[in-house]
Amino acid sequence: MGQAECKKCSPGTYVSVDRQPGSKASTLSNETAGHRACKCLHGFYRMDRFGPCTPCPAHGLVCVNDTAVLAPNYYWQWINKSNQDLYRKFLANIHHFKSHYNDQFSRFPFLLPKPLRCPFAGSCKGGIDSECYERYQGTLCASCKNGFYFRFNSCLKCPSLANSIISSLLVVALFVLVFLMVLWGDSKKAENNRTVADVIMSCFKIVIGFYQVIAGIFSALTRVRWPVTLISMEKYLKLMEGNIFQFAPLSCIHSRLRMDPFSIFLVTLAVNSSVISLIFIYLFLKRRHIKKRRSLTGREKLCAESCLKRSCYRNIFLFLMASYPVTSKIIIQILPLPGACVQQCFTDERNNCISLLKADYSIRCFTTRHKVYWPIGATFALYPVAFPLLILVLLYKFRDSREDKEVAFGLRVFFENYKKEFWFWEVPEMYRKLILISLINLLESESSSQIAVTMLTVSAFGIAYTFFRPIKEKFEDRLHTFVLWVIFFDVCLGGVYTTFEATHEQKENDSLFVNILFVVLNSFVLLVALGKTHFKVVATKIKLIV
């Protein structure tokens, strides 16, 4: 009372605007507050220049100099632009310690948006505006910009147009080559009353199944610090998986050719139908040609038709077996299942939530477009579960049939390499691939349940195979055992290097030993299978020459 001007507050004390003028000191410290409240301790922030300090949440925010901003690897969405601008002005204003601060922005009266963990590490910068890094864009920074394509949970720079076209042709050529080798090996005998085609198909099943499984595991376990060599290996894994849209993305040719899960679903159905239809068309035309050949006797025509049917049926079943895991995954990921559609809430209020398709975060679930496609997908929803059961019924009925020898021959791809008492073993193998390629992707990646289910599935099937040893040939048995051990190693590596901590930015594992071991084990499967197949082909040719 009686002072001509305000005196400076003692160290550790302050007076808020609505309580001025002050009369006595109430706190002690070693620092003068200035025209604001005392500075917050480290790990605290405030929403009022003269208000209390609030502890920083464990995840989602970075609290420095009394302010809180979005942490890296997190994303938030403001209710409106005015709130976002007000908060930016509040943060700038709170750092003015002199008397010329703007009292209109001394307080932020609204709640901050809810920080959401970005699904892909290294995509979100954080900050007030939820900026994305160079390669990413969209909600949760989970979509790739033009000139980049998505592969194994990251956006990579598009290859040149020539490389994209060559990659597409190589994928087609590889599978055509396999079918041609099988056709060639039908009439070439190998050991134990088998043909070279039987050996090729058996090795093909093991190798293609292995790379399909590990490609699915690598894609699903997003919180694992995989070895850096995975980046260079992944395009070959996608090739072995049989997914041409990931190996040679059409969006790299032109942005308008970008294929979302709905387009891929339709194209996959079209490809499967076209391949099977072409084989049946070939069968029909070839049969007509055989019947018109006057140089053949009636018995020779019947023999030729029987060989034709056997070959066509076998190629159909071989194609269906190879495409089953990828087709099942594409069907499952567009269905409105809890794991396929992920709900994201930007505030604690339920009316500010959106549901995003996990396969493509740029697509919202239950919108008009999704409601058009998911009923179509629902009509094929039984395929992942029913197709192996159908094969089981056909194997039980026709595997030893003498009346339907052509069908029995076609089904050999499912049981030929197994011991007689284990003729059904390919069906559990198909379900194993379904779980590891499709179903674990529906589990919550932020929890340990995903890696736990993966390890349990791998361990259970590995123990079952080791106990029963259903494959009859020694080399193929050892190859399949080695495959199961490599998958187990990969999953264990994923379990060791999985991080769920929000404060840790996920980076690739750069351990030299781990990288070398990873490359050797995962490449050795293909090299051994190719070596065995090449040996069989060369040995067959030598026998023919002799």
Side-chain angles (χ1 to χ4, degrees):
M1 184 69 69
Q3 290 293 129
E5 60 182 10
C6 291
K7 296 177 66 175
K8 189 175 182 179
C9 288
S10 304
T13 66
Y14 70 95
V15 179
S16 62
V17 176
D18 55 350
R19 295 178 60 187
Q20 63 181 336
S23 59
K24 62 179 181 179
S26 59
T27 59
L28 295 174
S29 180
N30 58 358
E31 185 178 340
T32 301
H35 293 267
R36 46 167 290 163
C38 291
K39 190 174 181 180
C40 293
L41 296 174
H42 180 74
F44 287 76
Y45 73 101
R46 59 166 38 103
M47 304 296 285
D48 188 334
R49 185 180 186 89
F50 298 98
C53 295
T54 304
C56 196
H59 308 303
L61 297 180
V62 175
C63 301
V64 180
N65 294 330
D66 289 18
T67 60
V69 294
L70 190 65
N73 292 325
Y74 280 87
Y75 183 94
W76 65 15
Q77 184 170 293
W78 291 89
I79 296 177
N80 53 57
K81 186 73 165 53
S82 62
N83 282 16
Q84 184 177 3
D85 292 338
L86 179 60
Y87 189 66
R88 183 181 288 105
K89 292 175 181 178
F90 165 74
L91 293 185
N93 189 56
I94 201 173
H95 291 146
H96 286 291
F97 295 91
K98 303 298 181 181
S99 60
H100 61 273
Y101 72 91
N102 190 336
D103 60 358
Q104 293 183 359
F105 305 115
S106 63
R107 188 167 78 91
F108 185 73
F110 306 104
L111 294 175
L112 291 177
K114 184 179 179 181
L116 300 176
R117 181 79 179 269
C118 293
F120 310 122
S123 62
C124 298
K125 285 185 179 180
I128 300 175
D129 301 320
S130 293
E131 292 183 277
C132 304
Y133 282 102
E134 177 187 2
R135 299 169 291 170
Y136 302 88
Q137 65 180 0
T139 304
L140 298 174
C141 297
S143 302
C144 297
K145 289 183 177 178
N146 290 338
F148 298 88
Y149 67 102
F150 189 77
R151 180 183 289 153
F152 281 177
N153 308 312
S154 62
C155 293
L156 302 180
K157 188 173 180 60
C158 282
S160 64
L161 178 60
N163 286 341
S164 297
I165 295 174
I166 292 172
S167 299
S168 301
L169 295 176
L170 283 176
V171 173
V172 177
L174 175 69
F175 286 95
V176 170
L177 179 63
V178 171
F179 283 116
L180 292 177
M181 289 179 64
V182 170
L183 288 174
W184 173 84
D186 273 339
S187 57
K188 309 300 185 293
K189 293 294 182 180
E191 295 88 358
N192 300 326
N193 198 30
R194 303 178 80 199
T195 64
V196 174
D198 293 332
V199 178
I200 293 174
M201 285 191 301
S202 181
C203 292
F204 174 78
K205 282 198 304 182
I206 296 172
V207 173
I208 203 76
F210 167 69
Y211 286 109
Q212 285 175 336
V213 166
I214 62 171
I217 290 174
F218 293 157
S219 298
L221 304 181
T222 59
R223 297 303 174 194
V224 177
R225 294 170 56 239
W226 294 112
V228 293
T229 51
L230 177 62
I231 301 299
S232 58
M233 290 180 63
E234 60 187 1
K235 64 180 182 180
Y236 302 106
L237 294 176
K238 284 297 181 183
L239 183 148
M240 298 305 296
E241 189 187 15
N243 192 340
I244 186 174
F245 308 111
Q246 288 286 342
F247 181 71
L250 298 177
S251 60
C252 288
I253 299 175
H254 196 282
S255 59
R256 292 185 178 179
L257 296 178
R258 179 184 177 274
M259 299 190 70
D260 58 26
F262 301 139
S263 303
I264 294 175
F265 168 71
L266 294 180
V267 172
T268 300
L269 295 182
V271 169
N272 288 350
S273 302
S274 298
V275 170
I276 296 174
S277 298
L278 286 174
I279 294 176
F280 275 115
I281 291 172
Y282 171 78
L283 173 62
F284 174 75
L285 296 177
K286 191 70 175 177
R287 285 184 66 187
R288 290 191 61 182
H289 175 70
I290 292 173
K291 290 180 178 180
K292 290 181 179 180
R293 290 185 61 181
R294 297 180 179 179
S295 58
L296 298 177
T297 63
R299 185 179 182 81
E300 289 173 337
K301 289 181 180 180
L302 290 176
C303 235
E305 284 188 26
S306 179
C307 291
L308 176 65
K309 287 181 180 179
R310 290 166 58 180
S311 178
C312 290
Y313 292 162
R314 195 264 313 283
N315 286 340
I316 289 174
F317 286 123
L318 180 61
F319 172 78
L320 290 175
M321 183 191 68
S323 64
Y324 165 76
V326 176
T327 303
S328 299
K329 179 180 180 180
I330 291 171
I331 293 173
I332 290 173
Q333 68 184 11
I334 71 166
L335 298 176
L337 301 173
C341 288
V342 182
Q343 190 176 60
Q344 302 288 354
C345 298
F346 298 107
T347 65
D348 291 329
E349 298 177 4
R350 304 297 294 179
N351 59 356
N352 195 25
C353 298
I354 60 174
S355 185
L356 303 175
L357 197 66
K358 192 174 183 179
D360 189 338
Y361 283 89
S362 66
I363 298 175
R364 291 195 180 189
C365 294
F366 311 111
T367 56
T368 302
R369 190 159 182 261
H370 185 234
K371 289 179 180 178
V372 170
Y373 281 94
W374 81 255
I376 303 175
T379 60
F380 294 91
L382 286 178
Y383 176 80
V385 176
F387 179 70
L389 294 178
L390 175 62
I391 294 299
L392 182 66
V393 173
L394 293 176
L395 289 175
Y396 179 79
K397 184 176 181 180
F398 293 108
R399 71 185 190 279
D400 294 325
S401 176
R402 296 185 178 181
E403 298 179 358
D404 299 285
K405 293 182 179 179
E406 293 86 359
V407 177
F409 184 86
L411 290 168
R412 280 170 62 88
V413 68
F414 291 101
F415 70 88
E416 185 279 329
N417 59 325
Y418 295 110
K419 297 175 184 177
K420 191 171 183 179
E421 61 270 27
F422 295 107
W423 54 270
F424 58 87
W425 196 268
E426 192 61 37
V427 174
E429 283 289 311
M430 295 171 76
Y431 283 125
R432 175 178 70 92
K433 296 174 187 176
L434 178 66
I435 295 172
L436 296 177
I437 294 174
S438 301
L439 299 187
I440 63 169
N441 198 50
L442 300 179
L443 299 176
E444 176 58 53
S445 59
E446 295 295 332
S447 68
S448 58
S449 60
Q450 192 181 54
I451 191 75
V453 171
T454 304
M455 294 187 73
L456 180 63
T457 303
V458 170
S459 302
F461 278 92
I463 293 172
Y465 182 86
T466 305
F467 182 79
F468 291 107
R469 294 283 183 177
I471 295 181
K472 57 186 178 184
E473 289 297 325
K474 185 179 293 186
F475 168 78
E476 293 155 27
D477 172 62
R478 291 177 177 175
L479 178 64
H480 194 73
T481 303
F482 178 71
V483 159
L484 294 175
W485 275 107
V486 173
I487 295 175
F488 182 74
F489 164 79
D490 289 338
V491 175
C492 288
L493 179 70
V496 171
Y497 291 104
T498 298
T499 173
F500 299 106
E501 290 82 1
T503 54
H504 293 173
E505 181 178 353
Q506 183 184 6
K507 296 181 179 179
E508 291 81 13
N509 191 312
D510 57 0
S511 168
L512 181 61
F513 173 75
V514 171
N515 276 266
I516 292 175
L517 187 62
F518 183 86
V519 172
V520 170
L521 291 178
N522 287 277
S523 302
F524 194 67
V525 174
L526 179 61
L527 295 176
V528 170
L530 289 176
K532 179 66 174 180
T533 303
H534 178 71
F535 174 77
K536 285 289 184 183
V537 172
V538 172
T540 302
K541 289 183 177 179
I542 293 174
K543 287 182 179 180
L544 292 175
I545 294 173
V546 173

